[in-house]
Amino acid sequence: MSLLILGIESSCDETGVALVRSPSGPGVPTLLAHALHSQIAMHQAYGGVVPELASRDHIRRVLPLTEAVLAEAGHLLADVDVVAYTRGPGLAGALLVGAGVACALGASLGRPVLGVHHLEGHLLSPFLSVDPPEFPFVALLVSGGHTQLMRVDGVGRYTLLGETIDDAAGEAFDKSAKLLGLGYPGGPALSRLAQEGDATAFKLPRPLLHSGNLDFSFAGLKTAVLTQAKKLGDDLDARRADLAASTEAAIVDVLVRKTLTALKESGLQRVVVAGGVGANRLLREQLNAACARLKVRVHYPELHLCTDNGAMIAMAAAMRIAAGRQSPEARYAFDVKPRWPLDALDAPPAAEAAHPA
């Protein structure tokens, strides 16, 4: 049976709402409409996300965005069959806004609700693209808070291959940008500046590149950028673009080479890249070139769906329902999971207890 699913995303500093229709038979769900509000301008004055302000802004935005999405799709709220929301991970207060609104809407409509894992939303977001992937594949999840390599055999069938032991790739971009005086949000600013610089100007470390496993570490790179910036002193302004380019090259080099190792070890012939860092131009160029040589397919979300958005939440909900991994329920008491490892998503209770929320 075809379902109309409303998805709400509010895990951090973007409020996203989308409407997705699941197919009545085999196939990929269809995105009917989505709307997104970014809080970047509000948080710039503070140099980063202020959780309380983020939560308050979600409250202001979520219902007007919902109305806009329904109007664009030509549907009424009463047409919605399931209300999906991000249950975690993320900022607790921000998550509570989305969960509360979703459950209130579900209760008022008499419709079931479904809590979605934020990272699963990113993981499945390339299925919204014009070139959706097929299972199985290696997934590189790269965002502001997460860097992971996963083997994905189907919806809810995820095996963790490696993850960051400290800073995520997105944090490495943002923190390095701050050290270079580029403000917030730093990652996109650093990437833009890097296009003007020489990526070979500074020899920066590639942490854990030869570790023998698929884990990541970017904290040492951030320290190296700080050390190099201090060495440059008054010359930093003149060499800022070179240092930005060298920093970006180091991060991308690690991501690409670890992904290629994951492909080799798994024997798979398909890669999915998801998360905000997946929009990075250099990462796409280098990964595309490397995979073309290996005759490996690479899939990305559409650029406008790389950041947090409601479409990926509605999509993940539709795919979980279709795969029989989860059923929406008319239960409106809710909780959120600010810390929620993806590999614990479908784990039995005993295993999930080993990953406390």
Side-chain angles (χ1 to χ4, degrees):
M1 181 181 69
S2 175
L3 296 174
L4 199 62
I5 300 175
L6 182 72
I8 298 174
E9 155 62 22
S10 67
S11 64
C12 189
D13 59 347
E14 281 144 337
T15 314
V17 179
L19 199 63
V20 160
R21 181 176 295 283
S22 67
S24 54
V28 177
T30 303
L31 176 61
L32 303 180
H34 83 103
L36 183 69
H37 175 78
S38 172
Q39 300 176 0
I40 285 176
M42 180 178 68
H43 295 297
Q44 277 179 331
Y46 306 95
V49 177
V50 181
E52 178 66 21
L53 294 181
S55 302
R56 290 174 181 269
D57 199 63
H58 288 309
I59 294 171
R60 286 192 292 268
R61 308 291 179 180
V62 64
L63 291 179
L65 288 175
T66 301
E67 292 172 353
V69 164
L70 290 168
E72 182 183 343
H75 280 283
L76 301 174
L77 188 58
D79 297 334
V80 172
D81 296 304
V82 178
V83 184
Y85 62 93
T86 304
R87 188 182 176 200
L91 301 174
L95 291 168
L96 285 168
V97 173
V101 169
C103 290
L105 288 175
S108 67
L109 296 168
R111 301 289 193 275
V113 298
L114 190 149
V116 173
H117 195 293
H118 177 80
L119 293 183
E120 185 173 40
H122 276 304
L123 189 67
L124 300 177
S125 61
F127 283 92
L128 290 163
S129 72
V130 296
D131 180 29
E134 296 177 3
F135 300 113
F137 53 78
V138 168
L140 174 65
L141 283 172
V142 276
S143 67
H146 302 87
T147 300
Q148 297 177 330
L149 279 165
M150 310 284 297
R151 179 189 171 107
V152 179
D153 290 293
V155 177
R157 298 167 60 195
Y158 312 130
T159 304
L160 181 66
L161 303 177
E163 63 183 337
T164 184
I165 61 174
D166 43 54
D167 288 352
E171 288 176 298
F173 271 110
D174 289 339
K175 291 179 179 179
S176 296
K178 190 170 184 178
L179 294 173
L180 296 177
L182 299 180
Y184 170 85
L190 187 145
S191 295
R192 287 192 297 270
L193 181 60
Q195 295 182 48
E196 305 171 14
D198 177 5
T200 65
F202 300 99
K203 189 175 181 180
L204 296 176
R206 271 68 168 162
L208 297 189
L209 192 58
H210 304 290
S211 62
N213 58 37
L214 294 172
D215 288 335
F216 299 88
S217 171
F218 292 104
L221 174 61
K222 175 196 65 180
T223 302
V225 173
L226 173 61
T227 300
Q228 189 61 62
K230 287 182 176 179
K231 283 183 181 178
L232 288 170
D234 294 339
D235 293 330
L236 177 59
D237 283 344
R239 304 294 307 279
R240 201 184 307 269
D242 289 341
L243 187 51
S246 298
T247 302
E248 181 182 51
I251 297 170
V252 168
D253 191 21
V254 172
L255 294 175
V256 170
R257 291 169 70 176
K258 290 272 186 176
T259 301
L260 296 180
T261 301
L263 279 168
K264 181 179 179 180
E265 293 183 357
S266 67
L268 298 178
Q269 295 294 307
R270 196 179 299 271
V271 178
V272 161
V273 181
V277 180
N280 181 270
R281 175 193 58 85
L282 184 65
L283 175 60
R284 290 193 176 210
E285 287 179 358
Q286 292 199 3
L287 192 57
N288 286 345
C291 288
R293 290 193 297 270
L294 297 172
K295 294 182 171 53
V296 170
R297 292 291 308 280
V298 188
H299 301 265
Y300 306 91
E302 304 294 345
L303 280 173
H304 68 285
L305 295 177
C306 282
T307 58
D308 298 346
N309 60 83
M312 69 184 196
I313 300 305
M315 168 63 80
M319 293 184 72
R320 286 187 70 77
I321 294 169
R325 305 297 300 194
Q326 192 172 353
S327 297
E329 298 180 281
R331 295 173 56 188
Y332 308 116
F334 59 88
D335 65 346
V336 296
K337 298 172 77 70
R339 297 178 62 194
W340 190 10
L342 184 56
D343 58 329
L345 175 59
D346 289 307
E352 188 170 340
H355 298 279

